[in-house]
Amino acid sequence: MKINPKKIVFSLGFTILIFILFILVLNIFSYFDPFSFCYIKINYNVDGNKDTIKKAIEIIKNEDKKEYKKLCQYVNLIVERPCYSGRLGTSGMLRLNEDFVGCYIKGSKIIYLKPEKEDDFYVTKKRVGAIKKYSQKSQEFWGSFRK
Amino acid sequence: MTYKALLNILVFLILLVLICWKLFFYIDFKNHCYLKILPSFSGGNLTIKKAIGILKYASPNDYKNLCTYVRTIDPNYLGGGRYWTSLDPKTILVNPSWGPQLTAEIIVHETCHSMQYFQKRPFSEDECYGEGDRLIKNITVF
């Protein structure tokens, strides 16, 4: 069989192009860092801001590699939605907890963040703290679960 | 039929089975839990699966009740959730668009109604809201 170098270069280039497109498309709907094998889906809200979540993850990545590794291992979904704390008596009305910026859902690798539309440093910093806190809670849950 | 065509059909069938397995069935051999999740093309099936996972790992008793008293989950409901005995009494209707936390709560609420039916107890919303409230408090870490 005769090998055509032009064909090989074309196939390789096409594969790389598809891979780059795949990463770009994934990054529209989620956070994907192929070099750290880190994929976190983001369910964003119309009342919220997905960009500040991504910025917060980037800050964690650049500032603290250990925290970033923990985040990638113990969080696979960030939901930008209000976090409920229970139901009210017999009416069944849902109770919101407005005192916290989010919550962690036990038995999963899911964290909730309260929707915030503003795209400023204050919101991003608050989200950095929340994401770190709840990935720690997830690690604690799965750590105790395996024991 | 050529060998290549047969291979294509086989690959297609394997993919079809994998997609059905991933979207429309929840199977846990170890805990004898077999659930059917009806098709919903809004992506709700995966949220239902996440919610079942939450129950399995964070609230094993609720998971056991779900596996015992429910056989089918219908994710095509626009309210919160619904239990109708006129349907199959082991079917619950759940709206997954509320996200995994509330979907888990709705599943527990509707399973509670199914338990009331099979245990021949009167239907009580109070009891089932209480069960949902307990679950939310149990699974949520602020």
Side-chain angles (χ1 to χ4, degrees):
Chain A
M1 204 168 81
K2 208 176 172 187
I3 297 168
N4 184 347
K6 259 188 188 171
K7 211 172 173 181
I8 292 177
V9 170
F10 178 77
S11 301
L12 205 68
F14 187 71
T15 310
I16 291 169
L17 187 75
I18 292 289
F19 183 67
I20 291 168
L21 274 176
F22 175 70
I23 292 170
L24 287 175
V25 169
L26 267 185
N27 266 304
I28 294 172
F29 305 104
S30 52
Y31 173 84
F32 181 47
D33 174 5
F35 303 108
S36 307
F37 300 105
C38 187
Y39 175 73
I40 301 167
K41 193 165 182 258
I42 301 169
N43 277 4
Y44 61 96
N45 195 306
V46 282
D47 298 323
N49 191 329
K50 183 180 59 178
D51 292 340
T52 48
I53 298 176
K54 285 189 175 180
K55 275 182 202 162
I57 297 173
E58 282 295 335
I59 289 173
I60 296 170
K61 183 186 174 184
N62 296 329
E63 279 182 354
D64 194 336
K65 290 280 171 216
K66 212 173 144 191
E67 285 289 334
Y68 181 66
K69 205 178 155 193
K70 189 196 295 174
L71 169 68
C72 296
Q73 193 177 347
Y74 291 101
V75 175
N76 59 17
L77 174 63
I78 296 177
V79 182
E80 199 179 26
R81 240 175 207 282
C83 202
Y84 295 98
S85 59
R87 288 222 182 239
L88 272 176
T90 52
S91 67
M93 282 269 287
L94 284 162
R95 262 186 309 184
L96 270 178
N97 195 329
E98 296 282 0
D99 301 334
F100 293 90
V101 282
C103 67
Y104 160 66
I105 307 297
K106 279 191 205 169
S108 72
K109 292 184 176 179
I110 301 168
I111 63 179
Y112 274 56
L113 292 178
K114 195 161 86 178
E116 297 211 41
K117 227 178 176 64
E118 295 77 27
D119 186 351
D120 58 36
F121 180 70
Y122 173 70
V123 172
T124 309
K125 198 156 170 58
K126 212 162 59 172
R127 293 194 150 182
V128 168
I131 292 170
K132 277 186 184 176
K133 178 184 169 184
Y134 298 122
S135 46
Q136 173 67 29
K137 298 284 180 197
S138 179
Q139 186 191 35
E140 284 167 13
F141 175 82
W142 291 107
S144 68
F145 191 81
R146 284 187 191 108
K147 274 175 198 165
Chain B
M1 200 179 279
T2 63
Y3 170 75
K4 206 174 173 184
L6 264 175
L7 194 73
N8 282 342
I9 292 170
L10 191 72
V11 169
F12 175 76
L13 283 177
I14 290 171
L15 279 176
L16 198 69
V17 167
L18 284 177
I19 289 168
C20 286
W21 177 285
K22 175 93 180 147
L23 290 176
F24 308 127
F25 295 97
Y26 176 84
I27 298 168
D28 175 2
F29 292 113
K30 199 180 161 194
N31 296 297
H32 308 287
C33 189
Y34 310 100
L35 299 166
K36 195 165 67 188
I37 306 164
L38 298 186
S40 143
F41 297 99
S42 60
N45 292 48
L46 293 177
T47 307
I48 299 266
K49 280 205 158 181
K50 282 186 190 105
I52 297 171
I54 291 169
L55 298 181
K56 180 181 178 182
Y57 295 110
S59 192
N61 227 20
D62 288 313
Y63 179 70
K64 203 176 147 194
N65 288 338
L66 171 72
C67 299
T68 312
Y69 294 98
V70 173
R71 193 169 37 211
T72 307
I73 299 175
D74 184 348
N76 300 293
Y77 186 67
L78 294 177
R82 192 69 146 181
Y83 179 72
W84 271 327
T85 47
S86 52
L87 294 170
D88 168 19
K90 280 200 164 189
T91 295
I92 59 172
L93 286 83
V94 175
N95 180 355
S97 66
W98 296 88
Q101 184 199 27
L102 279 192
T103 301
E105 191 267 343
I106 294 165
I107 289 175
V108 166
H109 180 106
E110 303 311 330
T111 304
C112 164
H113 285 310
S114 181
M115 286 171 73
Q116 288 169 343
Y117 174 81
F118 284 104
Q119 292 170 356
K120 297 184 172 37
R121 290 188 288 122
F123 279 101
S124 157
E125 282 297 339
D126 287 1
E127 182 194 344
C128 298
Y129 278 133
E131 287 294 298
D133 182 58
R134 174 191 51 75
L135 179 88
I136 292 180
K137 287 188 173 109
N138 179 25
I139 62 170
T140 312
V141 184
F142 287 102

